């Protein structure tokens, strides 16, 4: 089955073609970062309008890359949620319109399931079951994954997500938008100098909390007589150490609790070099393995949606296509069920 995947949940338009026999054939992505940078964050209306402009040209681009035509498509997957309602509606309406015109089945994909399964696109995909760390600007969750649609929530953030904490902390230090990657880059030149808390590091559960850490950074910044480059680098270093230590320890606790030996890390923060160093080191000590998607698939992309949709479409029994649609800006991953 050749499946077209469309991702439009926030500020990136992603389109990809996935073949259930040959794998990923082509993918293309347009990021809106430059457009939103002037506002210091994502403007939902502008995001939606830009998705309208980009989705069809990107679809034509991936078809040309794969040497395919619209008539070759046998199924269409799209991000149904969670995300920005207007942005989701753009991708959903385009996907359902194409599916209706081509008379092929379509399926709405949970955005986080796409991230969760993104490492499956690699040459050596992890086998089920495994523990997954979903860590991004909107989510910080630990899940037990026994198969597609078989997800058990082990731990969640009680307030800010890790990526959100990165971005807000970067904003406190006037690093621009998006601040998370800029903060991580500065941390590479920093050194041990300050001490920040590790919220919930030793709590008996697997939950996270990062809002207090952000407040601690604000207090630290306000107490500096001068916020020069060296000081900013050292604060960034300590902040990154705090977040990555918390994430790594909770992941190891999750592996011990579930008695599993495989960890999968997905989401934008999963691209952080220091986090990968910590996880690889701690997992090796315990005889466990860690799998990541390639860097370009850590952030939002069409490939993960095409793959997740293909897995579900391939498993579905034949039925009359339903081209009505709705979007789910809020959608709990635990609500998903395994394909029939």
């Amino acid at each position: 089955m050749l499946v077209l995947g469309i991702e439009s949940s926030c500020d990136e338009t992603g389109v990809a073609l996935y073949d259930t026999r040959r794998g990923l054939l082509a993918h293309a992505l347009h990021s809106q970062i430059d457009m939103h940078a002037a506002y210091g964050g994502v403007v939902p209306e502008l995001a939606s309008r830009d998705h309208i402009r980009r989705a069809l040209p990107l679809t034509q681009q991936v078809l040309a890359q794969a040497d395919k035509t619209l008539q070759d498509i046998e199924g269409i997957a799209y991000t149904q949620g969670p995300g920005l309602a207007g942005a989701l509606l753009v991708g959903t309406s385009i996907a359902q319109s194409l599916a209706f015109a081509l008379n092929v089945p379509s399926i709405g994909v949970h955005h986080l399931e796409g991230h969760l399964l993104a490492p499956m696109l690699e040459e050596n995909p992890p086998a089920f079951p495994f523990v997954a760390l979903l860590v991004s600007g909107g989510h910080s969750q630990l899940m037990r994954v026994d198969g597609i649609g078989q997800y058990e929530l082990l731990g969640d953030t009680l307030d800010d997500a890790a990526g959100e904490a990165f971005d807000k902390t970067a904003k406190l230090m006037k690093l621009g938008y998006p601040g998370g990657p800029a903060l991580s880059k500065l941390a590479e030149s920093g050194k041990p100098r300050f001490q920040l808390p590790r919220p919930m590091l030793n709590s008996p559960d697997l939950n996270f909390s990062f809002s207090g850490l952000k407040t601690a950074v604000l207090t630290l910044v306000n107490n500096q007589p001068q916020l020069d480059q060296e000081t900013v680098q050292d604060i960034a270093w300590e902040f990154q150490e705090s977040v990555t230590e918390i994430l790594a320890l909770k992941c190891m606790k999750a592996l011990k609790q579930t008695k599993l030996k495989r960890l999968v890390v997905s989401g934008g923060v999963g691209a952080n070099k220091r986090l990968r160093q910590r996880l690889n080191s701690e997992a090796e000590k315990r005889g466990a393995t860690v799998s990541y998607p390639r860097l370009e698939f850590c952030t939002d992309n069409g490939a993960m949606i095409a793959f997740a949709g293909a897995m579900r479409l391939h498993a579905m029994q034949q039925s009359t296509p339903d081209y009505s649609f709705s979007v789910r800006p809020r959608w709990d991953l635990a609500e998903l069920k395994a394909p029939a």
Side-chain angles (χ1 to χ4, degrees):
M1 175 178 279
L2 180 64
V3 177
L4 176 72
I6 299 176
E7 154 64 25
S8 67
S9 64
C10 190
D11 61 343
E12 285 159 321
T13 314
V15 180
L17 279 172
Y18 183 85
D19 189 297
T20 52
R21 289 187 178 180
R22 298 171 55 198
L24 184 64
L25 302 185
H27 68 96
L29 182 77
H30 174 77
S31 173
Q32 302 174 3
I33 285 177
D34 291 342
M35 179 176 67
H36 296 296
Y39 305 95
V42 177
V43 182
E45 177 65 18
L46 294 180
S48 302
R49 291 178 180 274
D50 200 63
H51 287 310
I52 294 172
R53 287 192 292 267
R54 309 292 180 179
L56 291 179
L58 288 175
T59 300
Q60 294 170 336
Q61 180 180 331
V62 297
L63 286 169
Q65 288 175 358
D67 195 24
K68 300 289 183 181
T69 67
L70 281 174
Q71 285 65 40
D72 294 319
I73 294 173
E74 297 169 286
I76 298 180
Y78 58 91
T79 305
Q80 189 178 10
L84 301 175
L88 291 168
L89 280 168
V90 174
T92 299
S93 58
I94 289 173
Q96 291 290 57
S97 299
L98 279 174
F100 176 75
L102 298 172
N103 192 29
V104 298
S106 61
I107 189 167
V109 172
H110 194 294
H111 181 75
L112 294 185
E113 182 171 60
H115 276 301
L116 195 69
L117 300 178
M120 300 290 187
L121 290 163
E122 303 308 314
E123 288 187 8
N124 297 304
F128 299 115
F130 54 77
V131 170
L133 172 67
L134 291 170
V135 59
S136 65
H139 301 86
S140 293
Q141 296 180 328
L142 278 165
M143 311 284 298
R144 178 191 171 110
V145 181
D146 290 299
I148 294 174
Q150 300 176 49
Y151 311 128
E152 177 190 353
L153 181 65
L154 302 175
D156 202 348
T157 179
L158 303 181
D159 38 62
D160 289 351
E164 185 180 7
F166 264 93
D167 288 337
K168 288 181 176 179
T169 299
K171 192 172 184 179
L172 291 175
M173 296 190 288
K174 299 179 172 55
L175 299 182
Y177 172 85
L183 189 150
S184 297
K185 185 69 175 176
L186 280 174
E188 293 178 7
S189 303
K191 62 183 183 300
R193 176 178 164 193
F194 301 108
Q195 182 66 47
L196 289 171
R198 270 63 169 163
M200 298 186 70
L201 182 69
N202 297 311
S203 66
D205 55 38
L206 297 174
N207 292 326
F208 306 99
S209 174
F210 294 108
S211 65
L213 178 60
K214 175 194 64 183
T215 304
V217 173
L218 175 61
T219 301
L220 180 60
V221 168
N222 289 338
N223 288 339
Q224 300 309 305
Q226 184 178 0
L227 202 63
D228 55 27
Q229 181 73 2
E230 184 178 355
T231 299
V232 169
Q233 290 173 347
D234 294 345
I235 293 175
W237 185 91
E238 175 61 18
F239 173 82
Q240 181 173 260
E241 287 297 296
S242 176
V243 173
T244 57
E245 183 179 349
I246 294 166
L247 293 173
L249 182 67
K250 295 285 185 175
C251 285
M252 296 307 111
K253 282 185 177 180
L255 289 174
K256 182 178 180 180
Q257 178 178 305
T258 58
K259 296 181 172 60
L260 297 176
K261 291 293 185 179
R262 285 183 289 271
L263 174 69
V264 164
V265 182
S266 296
V269 181
N272 182 276
K273 293 179 182 178
R274 181 58 177 148
L275 177 61
R276 292 192 175 205
Q277 289 171 356
R278 279 188 181 274
L279 289 174
N280 291 340
S281 175
E282 293 299 323
E284 186 178 358
K285 293 176 186 176
R286 294 163 175 79
T289 60
V290 190
S291 299
Y292 311 89
R294 67 196 77 168
L295 291 178
E296 61 185 324
F297 291 161
C298 285
T299 52
D300 296 350
N301 62 87
M304 66 182 192
I305 301 303
F307 175 78
M311 294 301 98
R312 287 187 170 271
L313 284 170
H314 191 65
M316 285 172 59
Q317 298 177 350
Q318 292 294 326
S319 60
T320 303
D322 179 9
Y323 300 117
S324 62
F325 64 86
S326 62
V327 296
R328 302 187 65 176
R330 294 184 179 274
W331 190 3
D332 189 343
L333 183 62
E335 294 177 20
L336 290 184
K337 292 181 172 57

